Coordinates of all heavy atoms in Angstrom, one line a residue:
M1 N 52.9 53.9 -43.0 CA 53.2 52.7 -42.2 C 51.8 51.9 -42.2 O 50.8 52.4 -41.9 CB 53.6 53.0 -40.8 CG 53.8 51.7 -40.0 SD 54.1 52.0 -38.3 CE 55.4 53.1 -38.2
S2 N 51.9 50.7 -42.7 CA 50.7 49.9 -42.7 C 50.8 48.8 -41.7 O 51.9 48.2 -41.4 CB 50.4 49.3 -44.1 OG 51.4 48.3 -44.3
T3 N 49.7 48.5 -41.0 CA 49.7 47.4 -40.1 C 48.8 46.3 -40.6 O 47.7 46.6 -41.0 CB 49.2 47.9 -38.7 OG1 47.9 48.6 -38.9 CG2 50.1 48.9 -38.0
A4 N 49.4 45.2 -40.6 CA 48.6 44.0 -41.1 C 47.7 43.5 -39.9 O 48.2 43.3 -38.8 CB 49.5 42.9 -41.5
M5 N 46.5 43.3 -40.2 CA 45.5 42.8 -39.2 C 45.4 41.3 -39.4 O 44.4 40.8 -39.8 CB 44.2 43.5 -39.3 CG 44.2 45.0 -39.1 SD 44.8 45.4 -37.5 CE 43.3 45.3 -36.5
N6 N 46.6 40.6 -39.2 CA 46.6 39.2 -39.4 C 46.6 38.6 -38.0 O 47.5 38.5 -37.3 CB 48.0 38.8 -40.1 CG 47.8 38.0 -41.3 OD1 46.7 37.5 -41.5 ND2 48.9 37.7 -42.0
F7 N 45.4 38.0 -37.7 CA 45.3 37.4 -36.4 C 45.5 35.9 -36.4 O 44.7 35.1 -36.0 CB 43.8 37.7 -35.8 CG 43.6 39.1 -35.6 CD1 42.8 39.9 -36.4 CD2 44.1 39.8 -34.5 CE1 42.6 41.2 -36.2 CE2 43.9 41.1 -34.3 CZ 43.1 41.8 -35.1
G8 N 46.6 35.6 -37.0 CA 46.9 34.2 -37.1 C 46.4 33.6 -38.5 O 45.8 34.3 -39.2
S9 N 46.7 32.4 -38.7 CA 46.3 31.8 -40.0 C 45.1 30.9 -39.8 O 45.0 29.8 -40.4 CB 47.4 31.1 -40.6 OG 47.9 30.1 -39.7
K10 N 44.2 31.2 -38.9 CA 43.0 30.4 -38.7 C 42.1 30.5 -39.9 O 41.8 31.6 -40.4 CB 42.2 30.9 -37.4 CG 42.9 30.6 -36.1 CD 42.1 31.0 -35.0 CE 42.8 30.7 -33.7 NZ 42.0 31.1 -32.5
S11 N 41.6 29.4 -40.3 CA 40.7 29.4 -41.5 C 39.3 29.2 -40.9 O 39.1 28.7 -39.8 CB 41.1 28.3 -42.5 OG 41.0 27.1 -41.9
F12 N 38.3 29.6 -41.7 CA 36.9 29.4 -41.4 C 36.6 28.0 -41.3 O 36.9 27.2 -42.2 CB 36.1 30.1 -42.4 CG 34.6 29.9 -42.2 CD1 33.9 30.5 -41.1 CD2 33.9 29.1 -43.0 CE1 32.6 30.3 -40.9 CE2 32.5 28.9 -42.8 CZ 31.9 29.5 -41.7
Q13 N 36.0 27.6 -40.2 CA 35.6 26.2 -40.0 C 34.0 26.2 -40.0 O 33.4 26.7 -39.1 CB 36.1 25.6 -38.7 CG 37.6 25.5 -38.6 CD 38.1 24.4 -39.5 OE1 37.5 23.4 -39.7 NE2 39.2 24.7 -40.2
P14 N 33.4 25.6 -41.1 CA 32.0 25.6 -41.1 C 31.4 24.7 -40.0 O 32.1 23.7 -39.6 CB 31.7 25.0 -42.5 CG 32.9 24.3 -42.9 CD 34.0 25.0 -42.2
R15 N 30.2 25.0 -39.6 CA 29.6 24.1 -38.6 C 28.1 24.0 -38.9 O 27.6 24.8 -39.6 CB 29.8 24.7 -37.2 CG 29.1 26.1 -37.0 CD 29.4 26.6 -35.6 NE 28.8 27.9 -35.4 CZ 27.5 28.1 -35.0 NH1 26.8 27.1 -34.7 NH2 27.0 29.3 -34.8
P16 N 27.5 22.9 -38.5 CA 26.1 22.7 -38.8 C 25.2 23.8 -38.2 O 25.7 24.5 -37.2 CB 25.8 21.4 -38.2 CG 26.8 21.1 -37.2 CD 28.0 21.9 -37.6
P17 N 24.0 24.1 -38.7 CA 23.2 25.1 -38.1 C 22.7 24.8 -36.7 O 22.7 23.6 -36.4 CB 22.0 25.2 -39.1 CG 22.0 23.9 -39.8 CD 23.4 23.4 -39.8
D18 N 22.4 25.8 -36.0 CA 21.9 25.6 -34.6 C 20.5 24.9 -34.7 O 19.8 25.0 -35.7 CB 21.7 26.9 -33.9 CG 23.0 27.6 -33.6 OD1 24.0 26.9 -33.5 OD2 23.0 28.9 -33.6
K19 N 20.1 24.2 -33.7 CA 18.8 23.6 -33.6 C 17.8 24.7 -33.8 O 17.9 25.8 -33.3 CB 18.6 22.9 -32.3 CG 17.3 22.1 -32.3 CD 17.4 21.2 -31.1 CE 16.1 20.4 -31.0 NZ 16.0 19.4 -32.1
G20 N 16.8 24.4 -34.7 CA 15.8 25.4 -35.0 C 16.0 26.1 -36.3 O 15.2 26.7 -36.9
S21 N 17.2 25.9 -36.9 CA 17.5 26.5 -38.2 C 17.2 25.4 -39.2 O 17.6 24.2 -39.0 CB 19.0 26.9 -38.3 OG 19.3 27.8 -37.4
F22 N 16.5 25.7 -40.2 CA 16.2 24.7 -41.2 C 16.0 25.4 -42.6 O 15.8 26.6 -42.7 CB 14.9 23.9 -40.9 CG 13.8 24.7 -40.3 CD1 13.0 25.4 -41.1 CD2 13.6 24.7 -38.9 CE1 11.9 26.1 -40.6 CE2 12.6 25.5 -38.4 CZ 11.7 26.2 -39.2
P23 N 16.1 24.6 -43.7 CA 16.0 25.2 -45.0 C 14.7 25.9 -45.3 O 13.7 25.5 -44.7 CB 16.2 23.9 -45.9 CG 16.6 22.8 -45.1 CD 16.3 23.1 -43.7
L24 N 14.8 26.9 -46.1 CA 13.6 27.5 -46.5 C 12.8 26.6 -47.4 O 13.3 25.8 -48.1 CB 13.9 28.8 -47.3 CG 14.6 29.9 -46.4 CD1 15.0 31.1 -47.3 CD2 13.7 30.4 -45.3
D25 N 11.5 26.9 -47.5 CA 10.6 26.1 -48.4 C 10.6 26.7 -49.7 O 9.6 27.3 -50.1 CB 9.2 26.0 -47.7 CG 8.3 25.1 -48.4 OD1 8.7 24.4 -49.4 OD2 7.1 25.1 -48.0
H26 N 11.7 26.6 -50.5 CA 11.8 27.3 -51.8 C 10.7 26.9 -52.8 O 10.3 27.7 -53.6 CB 13.2 27.0 -52.4 CG 14.3 27.7 -51.7 ND1 14.5 29.0 -51.7 CD2 15.2 27.1 -50.9 CE1 15.5 29.3 -50.9 NE2 16.0 28.2 -50.4
F27 N 10.2 25.7 -52.7 CA 9.2 25.2 -53.7 C 7.8 25.3 -53.2 O 6.9 24.8 -53.8 CB 9.6 23.7 -54.1 CG 10.9 23.6 -54.7 CD1 12.0 23.0 -54.0 CD2 11.2 24.2 -56.0 CE1 13.2 22.9 -54.6 CE2 12.5 24.1 -56.5 CZ 13.5 23.5 -55.8
G28 N 7.6 25.9 -52.0 CA 6.3 26.1 -51.5 C 5.5 24.8 -51.1 O 4.3 24.7 -51.2
E29 N 6.3 23.8 -50.8 CA 5.7 22.5 -50.5 C 4.7 22.5 -49.3 O 3.8 21.8 -49.2 CB 6.7 21.4 -50.2 CG 7.6 21.2 -51.4 CD 8.7 20.2 -51.1 OE1 8.5 19.0 -50.9 OE2 9.9 20.7 -51.0
C30 N 5.0 23.4 -48.3 CA 4.2 23.5 -47.1 C 3.5 24.9 -47.1 O 3.0 25.3 -46.0 CB 5.0 23.3 -45.9 SG 5.7 21.7 -45.8
K31 N 3.4 25.6 -48.2 CA 2.8 26.9 -48.2 C 1.4 27.0 -47.7 O 1.0 27.8 -47.0 CB 2.9 27.5 -49.7 CG 2.4 28.9 -49.8 CD 2.6 29.4 -51.2 CE 2.2 30.9 -51.3 NZ 2.4 31.4 -52.6
S32 N 0.5 26.0 -48.1 CA -0.9 26.0 -47.7 C -1.0 25.9 -46.2 O -1.8 26.5 -45.5 CB -1.7 24.9 -48.4 OG -1.2 23.6 -48.0
F33 N -0.1 25.1 -45.6 CA -0.1 24.9 -44.1 C 0.3 26.2 -43.4 O -0.2 26.6 -42.4 CB 0.8 23.7 -43.7 CG 0.3 22.4 -44.1 CD1 0.8 21.8 -45.3 CD2 -0.7 21.7 -43.4 CE1 0.3 20.6 -45.7 CE2 -1.2 20.5 -43.8 CZ -0.6 19.9 -45.0
K34 N 1.4 26.8 -44.0 CA 1.9 28.1 -43.5 C 0.8 29.2 -43.5 O 0.5 29.9 -42.6 CB 3.1 28.6 -44.2 CG 3.7 29.9 -43.7 CD 4.7 30.4 -44.6 CE 4.1 31.0 -45.8 NZ 4.9 31.8 -46.6
E35 N 0.1 29.2 -44.7 CA -1.0 30.2 -44.8 C -2.1 30.0 -43.9 O -2.7 31.0 -43.3 CB -1.5 30.2 -46.3 CG -0.4 30.8 -47.2 CD -0.8 30.8 -48.7 OE1 -1.8 30.1 -49.0 OE2 -0.1 31.3 -49.5
K36 N -2.5 28.7 -43.6 CA -3.6 28.4 -42.6 C -3.1 28.9 -41.3 O -3.9 29.5 -40.5 CB -3.9 27.0 -42.6 CG -4.7 26.5 -43.8 CD -4.9 25.0 -43.7 CE -5.4 24.5 -45.1 NZ -5.5 23.0 -45.1
F37 N -1.9 28.6 -40.9 CA -1.3 29.0 -39.6 C -1.3 30.6 -39.5 O -1.8 31.1 -38.5 CB 0.1 28.4 -39.4 CG 0.7 28.9 -38.2 CD1 0.2 28.6 -36.9 CD2 1.9 29.6 -38.2 CE1 0.8 29.0 -35.8 CE2 2.6 30.0 -37.1 CZ 2.0 29.7 -35.8
M38 N -0.8 31.2 -40.5 CA -0.8 32.7 -40.5 C -2.2 33.3 -40.4 O -2.4 34.3 -39.7 CB 0.0 33.3 -41.7 CG 1.5 32.9 -41.7 SD 2.3 33.3 -40.1 CE 2.2 35.1 -40.2
K39 N -3.1 32.7 -41.1 CA -4.5 33.2 -41.1 C -5.1 33.0 -39.7 O -5.7 33.9 -39.1 CB -5.4 32.5 -42.1 CG -6.8 33.0 -42.1 CD -7.7 32.2 -43.1 CE -9.1 32.7 -43.2 NZ -9.7 33.3 -42.0
C40 N -4.8 31.9 -39.1 CA -5.3 31.6 -37.7 C -4.7 32.7 -36.8 O -5.4 33.2 -35.9 CB -4.9 30.2 -37.3 SG -5.4 29.8 -35.6
L41 N -3.4 33.0 -36.9 CA -2.8 34.0 -36.0 C -3.5 35.3 -36.2 O -3.8 36.0 -35.2 CB -1.3 34.1 -36.3 CG -0.4 32.9 -35.8 CD1 1.0 33.2 -36.3 CD2 -0.5 32.8 -34.3
R42 N -3.7 35.7 -37.5 CA -4.3 37.0 -37.7 C -5.7 37.1 -37.1 O -6.1 38.0 -36.5 CB -4.3 37.4 -39.2 CG -3.0 37.8 -39.7 CD -3.1 38.3 -41.2 NE -3.6 37.3 -42.1 CZ -2.9 36.4 -42.7 NH1 -1.5 36.4 -42.6 NH2 -3.4 35.6 -43.6
D43 N -6.5 36.0 -37.3 CA -7.9 35.9 -36.9 C -8.0 35.9 -35.4 O -9.0 36.3 -34.8 CB -8.6 34.7 -37.4 CG -8.8 34.7 -38.9 OD1 -8.6 35.8 -39.5 OD2 -9.1 33.7 -39.5
N44 N -6.9 35.5 -34.7 CA -6.9 35.4 -33.2 C -6.0 36.4 -32.6 O -5.5 36.1 -31.5 CB -6.5 33.9 -32.8 CG -7.6 33.0 -33.2 OD1 -8.7 33.0 -32.6 ND2 -7.4 32.2 -34.2
R45 N -5.7 37.5 -33.2 CA -4.9 38.6 -32.7 C -3.5 38.1 -32.3 O -3.0 38.4 -31.2 CB -5.6 39.3 -31.6 CG -6.9 40.0 -32.0 CD -7.5 40.7 -30.8 NE -8.6 41.4 -31.4 CZ -8.9 42.7 -31.0 NH1 -8.1 43.3 -30.1 NH2 -9.9 43.3 -31.5
F46 N -3.0 37.2 -33.1 CA -1.6 36.6 -32.9 C -1.5 35.9 -31.5 O -0.4 35.9 -31.0 CB -0.6 37.7 -33.1 CG -0.6 38.1 -34.5 CD1 -1.3 39.2 -34.9 CD2 0.1 37.4 -35.5 CE1 -1.4 39.6 -36.3 CE2 0.1 37.8 -36.8 CZ -0.7 38.9 -37.2
E47 N -2.5 35.3 -31.0 CA -2.5 34.5 -29.8 C -2.2 33.1 -30.3 O -3.1 32.3 -30.6 CB -3.9 34.6 -29.1 CG -3.9 33.9 -27.8 CD -3.1 34.6 -26.7 OE1 -3.1 35.9 -26.7 OE2 -2.4 33.9 -26.0
N48 N -0.9 32.8 -30.3 CA -0.4 31.5 -30.8 C -1.0 30.3 -30.2 O -1.1 29.2 -30.8 CB 1.1 31.4 -30.9 CG 1.7 31.5 -29.6 OD1 1.1 31.8 -28.6 ND2 3.0 31.1 -29.6
A49 N -1.4 30.4 -28.9 CA -1.9 29.2 -28.2 C -3.2 28.7 -28.9 O -3.6 27.6 -28.8 CB -2.2 29.5 -26.7
L50 N -3.9 29.6 -29.6 CA -5.2 29.3 -30.2 C -4.9 28.6 -31.6 O -5.9 28.2 -32.3 CB -6.1 30.5 -30.4 CG -6.4 31.2 -29.1 CD1 -7.2 32.5 -29.4 CD2 -7.3 30.3 -28.2
C51 N -3.7 28.6 -32.0 CA -3.4 28.1 -33.4 C -2.4 26.9 -33.3 O -1.7 26.6 -34.3 CB -2.8 29.2 -34.2 SG -3.9 30.6 -34.4
R52 N -2.4 26.2 -32.2 CA -1.5 25.1 -32.0 C -1.7 24.0 -33.0 O -0.7 23.4 -33.5 CB -1.5 24.6 -30.6 CG -1.0 25.6 -29.6 CD -1.0 25.1 -28.2 NE 0.1 24.1 -28.1 CZ -0.2 22.9 -27.7 NH1 -1.4 22.5 -27.3 NH2 0.8 22.0 -27.6
S53 N -2.9 23.7 -33.4 CA -3.2 22.6 -34.3 C -2.6 22.9 -35.7 O -2.0 22.1 -36.3 CB -4.7 22.4 -34.4 OG -5.0 21.4 -35.4
E54 N -2.8 24.2 -36.1 CA -2.3 24.6 -37.4 C -0.7 24.6 -37.4 O -0.1 24.2 -38.4 CB -2.8 26.0 -37.8 CG -4.2 26.1 -38.1 CD -5.2 26.1 -36.9 OE1 -4.7 26.1 -35.7 OE2 -6.4 26.2 -37.1
S55 N -0.2 25.0 -36.3 CA 1.3 25.0 -36.1 C 1.8 23.6 -36.2 O 2.8 23.3 -36.9 CB 1.7 25.6 -34.8 OG 3.1 25.6 -34.6
K56 N 1.2 22.6 -35.5 CA 1.5 21.2 -35.6 C 1.5 20.7 -37.0 O 2.4 20.0 -37.5 CB 0.6 20.4 -34.7 CG 0.9 18.9 -34.7 CD 0.0 18.1 -33.8 CE -1.3 17.8 -34.5 NZ -1.3 16.9 -35.6
D57 N 0.4 21.0 -37.7 CA 0.3 20.5 -39.1 C 1.4 21.1 -40.0 O 1.9 20.4 -40.8 CB -1.1 21.0 -39.7 CG -2.3 20.3 -39.0 OD1 -2.1 19.2 -38.3 OD2 -3.4 20.8 -39.2
Y58 N 1.7 22.3 -39.8 CA 2.8 23.0 -40.6 C 4.2 22.3 -40.3 O 4.9 21.9 -41.2 CB 2.9 24.5 -40.2 CG 4.0 25.2 -40.9 CD1 4.2 25.2 -42.3 CD2 5.0 25.9 -40.2 CE1 5.2 25.8 -42.9 CE2 6.0 26.5 -40.8 CZ 6.1 26.5 -42.2 OH 7.2 27.1 -42.8
L59 N 4.4 22.0 -39.0 CA 5.7 21.4 -38.7 C 5.7 19.9 -39.2 O 6.8 19.5 -39.7 CB 5.9 21.4 -37.2 CG 6.2 22.8 -36.6 CD1 6.3 22.8 -35.1 CD2 7.4 23.4 -37.2
E60 N 4.6 19.2 -39.1 CA 4.5 17.9 -39.7 C 4.8 17.9 -41.2 O 5.5 17.0 -41.7 CB 3.2 17.3 -39.4 CG 3.0 16.8 -38.0 CD 1.6 16.2 -37.7 OE1 0.6 16.8 -38.2 OE2 1.6 15.1 -37.1
C61 N 4.3 18.9 -41.9 CA 4.5 19.0 -43.3 C 6.0 19.2 -43.6 O 6.6 18.5 -44.4 CB 3.7 20.2 -43.9 SG 4.1 20.5 -45.6
R62 N 6.6 20.0 -42.8 CA 8.1 20.3 -43.0 C 8.9 19.0 -42.7 O 9.8 18.7 -43.4 CB 8.5 21.5 -42.1 CG 8.0 22.8 -42.5 CD 8.6 23.9 -41.8 NE 10.0 24.0 -42.1 CZ 10.5 24.7 -43.1 NH1 9.8 25.4 -43.9 NH2 11.8 24.7 -43.3
M63 N 8.5 18.3 -41.7 CA 9.3 17.1 -41.3 C 9.1 16.0 -42.4 O 10.0 15.4 -42.8 CB 8.8 16.5 -40.0 CG 9.4 17.4 -38.8 SD 9.1 16.6 -37.2 CE 7.4 16.9 -36.9
E64 N 7.9 15.9 -42.9 CA 7.6 14.9 -44.0 C 8.4 15.1 -45.2 O 8.7 14.2 -46.0 CB 6.1 14.8 -44.3 CG 5.2 14.2 -43.2 CD 3.8 14.5 -43.3 OE1 3.3 15.0 -44.4 OE2 3.0 14.1 -42.4
R65 N 8.6 16.4 -45.5 CA 9.3 16.8 -46.7 C 10.8 17.1 -46.5 O 11.5 17.7 -47.4 CB 8.6 18.0 -47.4 CG 7.3 17.6 -48.0 CD 6.3 18.7 -48.1 NE 5.1 18.3 -48.7 CZ 4.0 17.8 -48.0 NH1 4.1 17.6 -46.7 NH2 2.9 17.5 -48.7
Q66 N 11.3 16.7 -45.4 CA 12.7 16.8 -45.0 C 13.1 18.3 -45.0 O 14.3 18.6 -45.4 CB 13.5 15.9 -45.8 CG 13.2 14.5 -45.6 CD 14.0 13.5 -46.5 OE1 14.7 13.9 -47.4 NE2 13.8 12.2 -46.3
L67 N 12.3 19.2 -44.7 CA 12.6 20.6 -44.6 C 13.1 21.0 -43.1 O 13.5 22.1 -42.9 CB 11.5 21.5 -45.0 CG 11.1 21.4 -46.5 CD1 9.8 22.1 -46.8 CD2 12.3 22.0 -47.3
M68 N 13.0 20.0 -42.3 CA 13.5 20.1 -40.9 C 13.7 18.7 -40.4 O 13.1 17.7 -40.9 CB 12.6 20.9 -40.0 CG 11.2 20.3 -39.7 SD 10.2 21.3 -38.6 CE 10.9 20.9 -37.0
A69 N 14.5 18.5 -39.4 CA 14.8 17.2 -38.8 C 13.5 16.6 -38.2 O 12.7 17.3 -37.7 CB 15.9 17.3 -37.7
Q70 N 13.4 15.3 -38.3 CA 12.3 14.6 -37.7 C 12.4 14.7 -36.2 O 13.5 14.5 -35.6 CB 12.3 13.1 -38.1 CG 12.0 12.9 -39.5 CD 10.5 13.0 -39.7 OE1 9.6 12.8 -38.9 NE2 10.1 13.4 -41.0
E71 N 11.4 15.1 -35.5 CA 11.4 15.2 -34.0 C 10.0 14.7 -33.6 O 9.0 14.9 -34.2 CB 11.5 16.7 -33.6 CG 12.8 17.4 -33.9 CD 13.9 17.0 -32.9 OE1 13.5 16.3 -31.8 OE2 15.0 17.3 -33.1
P72 N 10.0 14.0 -32.4 CA 8.7 13.6 -31.9 C 7.9 14.9 -31.6 O 8.4 15.8 -31.0 CB 9.1 12.8 -30.6 CG 10.5 12.5 -30.7 CD 11.1 13.6 -31.6
L73 N 6.6 14.8 -31.9 CA 5.8 16.0 -31.6 C 5.7 16.3 -30.1 O 5.6 17.5 -29.8 CB 4.3 15.7 -32.1 CG 4.2 15.7 -33.7 CD1 2.9 15.3 -34.1 CD2 4.6 17.1 -34.2
E74 N 5.9 15.3 -29.3 CA 5.9 15.6 -27.8 C 7.1 16.5 -27.5 O 7.0 17.4 -26.7 CB 6.0 14.3 -27.1 CG 4.8 13.4 -27.2 CD 4.8 12.5 -28.5 OE1 5.8 12.5 -29.2 OE2 3.8 11.8 -28.7
K75 N 8.2 16.3 -28.2 CA 9.4 17.1 -27.9 C 9.2 18.5 -28.4 O 9.9 19.4 -27.9 CB 10.6 16.4 -28.6 CG 11.9 17.0 -28.2 CD 13.1 16.1 -28.8 CE 14.4 16.7 -28.4 NZ 15.5 15.9 -29.0
L76 N 8.3 18.7 -29.4 CA 8.1 20.0 -29.9 C 7.0 20.7 -29.2 O 6.6 21.8 -29.5 CB 7.8 19.9 -31.4 CG 8.9 19.4 -32.3 CD1 8.4 19.2 -33.7 CD2 10.1 20.4 -32.2
G77 N 6.4 20.1 -28.1 CA 5.4 20.7 -27.3 C 4.0 20.4 -27.8 O 3.0 21.1 -27.3
F78 N 3.8 19.4 -28.6 CA 2.5 19.0 -29.1 C 2.0 17.7 -28.5 O 1.2 17.0 -29.2 CB 2.4 19.0 -30.6 CG 2.7 20.4 -31.2 CD1 4.0 20.6 -31.8 CD2 1.8 21.4 -31.2 CE1 4.3 21.8 -32.4 CE2 2.1 22.6 -31.7 CZ 3.3 22.8 -32.3
G79 N 2.5 17.2 -27.4 CA 2.1 15.9 -26.9 C 0.6 15.8 -26.6 O 0.1 14.7 -26.8
D80 N 0.0 16.9 -26.3 CA -1.5 16.8 -26.1 C -2.3 16.8 -27.4 O -3.5 16.5 -27.3 CB -1.9 18.0 -25.2 CG -1.6 19.3 -25.9 OD1 -0.5 19.5 -26.5 OD2 -2.4 20.3 -25.8
L81 N -1.6 17.0 -28.5 CA -2.3 17.0 -29.8 C -2.0 15.7 -30.6 O -2.4 15.7 -31.8 CB -2.0 18.2 -30.6 CG -2.3 19.6 -30.0 CD1 -1.9 20.7 -30.9 CD2 -3.8 19.7 -29.7
T82 N -1.4 14.7 -30.0 CA -0.9 13.6 -30.8 C -1.9 12.4 -30.8 O -1.6 11.3 -31.2 CB 0.5 13.1 -30.4 OG1 0.4 12.7 -29.0 CG2 1.5 14.1 -30.6
D83 N -3.1 12.6 -30.2 CA -4.1 11.5 -30.1 C -3.5 10.3 -29.4 O -3.9 9.2 -29.7 CB -4.6 11.1 -31.5 CG -5.3 12.3 -32.2 OD1 -5.9 13.1 -31.5 OD2 -5.2 12.4 -33.4
G84 N -2.6 10.5 -28.4 CA -2.1 9.4 -27.7 C -1.2 8.5 -28.4 O -0.9 7.3 -28.0
K85 N -0.7 8.9 -29.6 CA 0.2 8.1 -30.4 C 1.6 8.4 -30.0 O 2.1 9.5 -30.4 CB 0.0 8.3 -31.9 CG -1.4 7.9 -32.4 CD -1.6 8.2 -33.8 CE -1.8 9.6 -34.1 NZ -2.2 10.0 -35.4
P86 N 2.3 7.6 -29.3 CA 3.7 7.9 -28.9 C 4.6 7.9 -30.2 O 4.4 7.1 -31.1 CB 4.2 6.8 -28.0 CG 3.0 5.8 -28.0 CD 1.9 6.3 -28.7
G87 N 5.5 8.9 -30.2 CA 6.4 9.0 -31.4 C 5.7 9.6 -32.6 O 6.3 9.6 -33.7
A88 N 4.5 10.2 -32.5 CA 3.8 10.7 -33.6 C 4.7 11.9 -34.2 O 5.4 12.6 -33.5 CB 2.5 11.3 -33.3
G89 N 4.8 11.9 -35.5 CA 5.6 13.0 -36.1 C 7.0 12.4 -36.5 O 7.8 13.1 -37.1
T90 N 7.2 11.1 -36.3 CA 8.5 10.5 -36.7 C 8.2 9.3 -37.6 O 7.1 8.8 -37.6 CB 9.3 10.0 -35.5 OG1 8.6 9.0 -34.8 CG2 9.7 11.2 -34.6
N91 N 9.1 8.9 -38.3 CA 9.0 7.7 -39.2 C 9.7 6.5 -38.6 O 10.2 5.7 -39.2 CB 9.5 8.0 -40.6 CG 8.7 9.0 -41.3 OD1 7.5 9.1 -41.1 ND2 9.3 9.8 -42.2
S92 N 9.7 6.4 -37.2 CA 10.4 5.3 -36.6 C 9.5 4.0 -36.6 O 8.4 4.0 -36.4 CB 10.7 5.6 -35.1 OG 11.3 6.8 -35.0

């Protein structure tokens, strides 16, 4: 006797990725920024607060190359590193 595990005829509905999900950098466009950030983390015993500038540069690179959505740096937690430029990190 076989039992069919048919839980209705619902089909898979794709949905956009959650915020924070973004494409991989397949072509290494931001590789140098990532490497500077990772080196900073290693040099500072992975104390990320000491590498905020490198992190900001990496995220700016990703936004400029459309590897992540444009977001104001203030919204990403870098308001103190934007040199007082409102909306820095966006192309508005």
Side-chain angles (χ1 to χ4, degrees):
M1 179 188 306
S2 71
T3 53
M5 298 302 270
N6 231 353
F7 295 105
S9 59
K10 290 183 181 178
S11 63
F12 174 72
Q13 294 293 320
R15 62 183 181 88
D18 294 332
K19 186 163 180 70
S21 300
F22 41 81
L24 296 176
D25 186 5
H26 291 288
F27 300 109
E29 298 175 73
C30 297
K31 186 176 182 179
S32 65
F33 293 98
K34 180 189 77 171
E35 288 174 353
K36 286 178 192 171
F37 175 61
M38 295 305 295
K39 180 181 182 331
C40 180
L41 286 175
R42 284 189 299 273
D43 292 347
N44 290 289
R45 297 179 172 226
F46 295 92
E47 187 68 43
N48 64 344
L50 300 175
C51 301
R52 294 183 68 239
S53 177
E54 290 81 357
S55 177
K56 178 182 81 68
D57 293 343
Y58 176 58
L59 293 175
E60 284 179 316
C61 177
R62 291 190 64 88
M63 287 189 283
E64 288 167 5
R65 288 160 179 84
Q66 299 176 351
L67 293 169
M68 65 180 281
Q70 290 285 329
E71 292 281 350
L73 289 172
E74 295 83 6
K75 191 173 179 182
L76 297 174
F78 297 106
D80 58 321
L81 300 179
T82 61
D83 299 326
K85 296 180 281 188
T90 62
N91 291 332
S92 313

